[in-house]
Amino acid sequence: MQKFEGIHFYVNVANFNEVVIDEESKNGKVNHSIHALDTFFSGIESFGKKKFPEKYVIEKITGARLHMYVVDDVNEAYEIVEEVVKFAGDLSRYLNSDIAKYKTLLDFKIQVGACFGSFYNYEFKRQNADEETTIGYAANYAAKLQGLCNIGNIAISSNIFDTLNEEKKNKYVKHSSVKVQKYGEDCYYEMPISKLTGSIDYSESLRASKEYANKVNLTDMTFRKPIKSVAFEELSKKECKEIEGIPLFADVRGFTSQFDNDDTNLEEMAVKTQNILTTMYDLVTVNHGIHVQFQGDREFALFHNYAGYECLSDAVKAGLKMIDAVQTYGVSIGVGESFGKMFATRIGARGEKDYLLIGTTVIEADRNEDENAKANQLVISNDVYLMLKKDKPKWADIFIKQNGYYYTTTGYNKLMNIISQEQLNINNRNNNYNGAWRE
């Protein structure tokens, strides 16, 4: 692991779920959504790398969010962030106004969060698909600010705001919020992206994005169903997969608040994060799942059906085992799953390096984890529950219905103990009855 200092920032298409749902409900496919998201993020990536090749770094695309950072002192880094984010705002409007193939889509609505600090860069090694991830308060808090930010705005941390000149400070509005207190902060600062100061002429980069969009026709995109376990490294914007299965999201609860905002425990937390991510990754792969990507301290995985294999029990088992496993690190997680159709592909300007799995099924699993799962709970959709009720009724018994979904706080070890004890009781009853009958 290498240690750096700089600004982490996230550009998020806040309404991308609505974009996907709208297109999927109308056409049964999501090729326009995938194509537009690829053009949008690839355009930002290309702009940043061309204008600031030494300092601007793309970490990854995580669903509808592009994670980037600038390695520099806070003032120099902020000027680069301004340019990249202002271009992102212009490009989001340009997609629908000037690129004909995206006119049927809902307009992209974006939000941005940024924070300065120290962080570790960690490269997770695995065959054919090494994955870079960053660990630190700055990366985590920037993501939280992005989620708090209003549509069309950028939110920055206090440690960025305090270094700005008065002219730039005056454009920001201070927000006090209890939602940031657990991160050692009492406020953050927000302003419309359109008011950012930018000195670069973006017209050439906008035209380059339009040329990029026209390189691949929508009719060139295929969505074949898998005959074996999906290998993301074999996919592209042209070669997509239509999958039936279960997406899994597992997120460490309250983890960002364990990072000191002055980075004094960064090294300790980096090692802890690495161990937790590795544990979740291993539980996915040993249970025949496919690791999609790390999203901060969250694991995103895929379990899917194909000829001769059904993913149900492995997906649920992996979620239950995660609840048991992470407790050894003194943390808790929330896990969400759903079942249905999804679309898998790869996008991005760096050789289509970033894995993308989208669809209403993914949206439901994400919400089950993010909104419904409490600490050490696995939340499953109604479809997953009904399949369990049919195929694994004793597993279904540990789930409790609530507001259209089902949850459990029972881990895999406890489930196995419950089943073993029930079987033991059955055996004892049978032995007692048979013995009495023989007498």
Side-chain angles (χ1 to χ4, degrees):
M1 291 190 293
Q2 288 184 284
K3 189 176 181 180
F4 299 96
E5 187 176 69
I7 293 181
H8 280 260
F9 65 116
Y10 297 80
V11 173
N12 181 52
V13 182
N15 67 327
F16 190 66
N17 285 352
E18 287 73 25
V19 174
V20 170
I21 291 170
D22 182 69
E23 183 182 11
E24 190 177 354
S25 65
K26 292 175 180 175
N27 307 319
K29 293 190 181 295
V30 291
N31 53 337
H32 290 75
S33 300
I34 291 172
H35 203 291
L37 191 69
D38 177 51
T39 297
F40 182 54
F41 286 153
S42 294
I44 298 170
E45 292 174 354
S46 297
F47 172 81
K49 292 304 291 183
K50 181 179 180 181
K51 301 297 183 182
F52 315 103
E54 302 300 322
K55 299 177 179 181
Y56 167 81
V57 181
I58 307 142
E59 180 170 319
K60 67 180 71 168
I61 296 168
T62 57
R65 187 169 68 179
L66 177 59
H67 180 187
M68 301 157 281
Y69 56 89
V70 178
V71 180
D72 207 336
D73 69 77
V74 61
N75 293 117
E76 295 295 326
Y78 178 78
E79 290 186 3
I80 294 174
V81 170
E82 275 192 304
E83 294 286 4
V84 174
V85 172
K86 189 169 179 60
F87 172 73
D90 286 2
L91 181 58
S92 67
R93 293 185 292 272
Y94 184 81
L95 289 179
N96 281 80
S97 64
D98 286 71
I99 302 179
K101 64 181 65 178
Y102 303 145
K103 289 187 180 294
T104 60
L105 290 177
L106 299 177
D107 291 354
F108 280 7
K109 298 177 181 178
I110 68 171
Q111 56 184 175
V112 180
C115 180
F116 176 80
S118 299
F119 59 95
Y120 277 99
N121 179 288
Y122 168 56
E123 190 170 20
F124 190 84
K125 296 283 188 179
R126 65 185 194 275
Q127 188 176 5
N128 299 324
D130 293 345
E131 181 178 355
E132 178 187 335
T133 193
T134 50
I135 300 169
Y137 177 87
N140 292 353
Y141 190 50
K144 300 299 180 184
L145 291 178
Q146 170 258 295
L148 291 173
C149 189
N150 289 307
I151 301 300
N153 286 6
I154 177 173
I156 62 172
S157 56
S158 297
N159 65 0
I160 296 177
F161 178 83
D162 290 342
T163 67
L164 301 180
N165 60 42
E166 288 304 313
E167 181 183 355
K168 291 185 177 182
K169 282 182 176 179
N170 289 335
K171 295 180 182 180
Y172 279 95
V173 175
K174 182 179 179 179
H175 290 277
S176 298
S177 174
V178 295
K179 294 181 179 179
V180 299
Q181 288 178 357
K182 63 180 178 180
Y183 308 117
E185 303 284 344
D186 57 9
C187 67
Y188 61 95
Y189 298 84
E190 187 173 330
M191 69 176 285
I193 293 170
S194 59
K195 290 186 178 181
L196 287 170
T197 303
S199 59
I200 296 176
D201 182 356
Y202 304 136
S203 57
E204 181 184 345
S205 295
L206 292 174
R207 286 194 298 270
S209 291
K210 187 174 184 178
E211 292 173 4
Y212 178 88
N214 290 330
K215 285 181 179 179
V216 175
N217 295 324
L218 291 162
T219 54
D220 293 337
M221 298 173 67
T222 61
F223 291 84
R224 297 184 177 90
K225 295 183 179 180
I227 59 174
K228 61 179 182 179
S229 183
V230 164
F232 270 89
E233 61 270 19
E234 297 175 1
L235 302 181
S236 68
K237 191 167 60 175
K238 287 185 178 181
E239 295 291 335
C240 310
K241 292 291 185 184
E242 181 181 316
I243 299 166
E244 182 182 69
I246 296 175
L248 176 150
F249 290 92
D251 184 56
V252 183
R253 291 298 187 248
F255 202 51
T256 300
S257 61
Q258 294 186 27
F259 284 82
D260 294 336
N261 59 0
D262 60 2
D263 296 319
T264 53
N265 69 340
L266 177 56
E267 184 174 355
E268 172 195 345
M269 291 300 294
V271 172
K272 189 174 185 178
T273 304
Q274 179 181 335
N275 290 336
I276 292 169
L277 292 177
T278 301
T279 296
M280 292 195 290
Y281 173 89
D282 289 343
L283 284 171
V284 167
T285 55
V286 78
N287 287 288
H288 309 106
I290 302 163
H291 168 77
V292 179
Q293 62 185 185
F294 298 125
Q295 300 178 344
D297 51 26
R298 183 160 88 151
E299 165 68 8
F300 178 24
L302 167 66
F303 297 80
H304 72 89
N305 298 339
Y306 53 88
Y309 173 74
E310 293 187 357
C311 67
L312 173 66
S313 59
D314 282 334
V316 175
K317 184 192 298 183
L320 294 174
K321 284 190 170 184
M322 284 181 186
I323 292 174
D324 292 334
V326 301
Q327 293 182 51
T328 61
Y329 301 105
V331 299
S332 58
I333 61 170
V335 185
E337 297 181 354
S338 61
F339 176 81
K341 184 170 69 173
M342 295 165 279
F343 305 93
T345 187
R346 290 194 306 160
I347 65 171
R350 302 169 296 160
E352 297 184 330
K353 180 180 179 180
D354 295 289
Y355 297 177
L356 187 69
L357 183 69
I358 65 173
T360 52
T361 302
V362 180
I363 294 167
E364 184 177 20
D366 187 5
R367 287 175 176 162
N368 279 341
E369 178 275 304
D370 185 51
E371 300 175 12
N372 300 329
K374 296 179 175 59
N376 292 325
Q377 284 188 356
L378 167 60
V379 171
I380 60 175
S381 65
N382 185 63
D383 288 338
V384 177
Y385 176 79
L386 292 177
M387 291 189 299
L388 275 182
K389 193 71 176 174
K390 178 182 177 183
D391 297 341
K392 295 274 188 180
K394 293 191 181 300
W395 291 29
D397 287 345
I398 67 172
F399 286 89
I400 301 168
K401 187 175 183 178
Q402 180 173 311
N403 299 329
Y405 59 85
Y406 292 81
Y407 75 92
T408 185
T409 55
T410 300
Y412 186 73
N413 292 335
K414 186 175 180 180
L415 171 62
M416 292 298 100
N417 288 336
I418 291 171
I419 293 174
S420 295
Q421 187 60 50
E422 287 182 357
Q423 188 59 51
L424 181 61
N425 292 339
I426 291 171
N427 292 341
N428 287 337
R429 286 197 300 271
N430 288 341
N431 288 337
N432 290 340
Y433 175 80
N434 290 337
W437 183 79
R438 282 196 299 271
E439 289 176 0

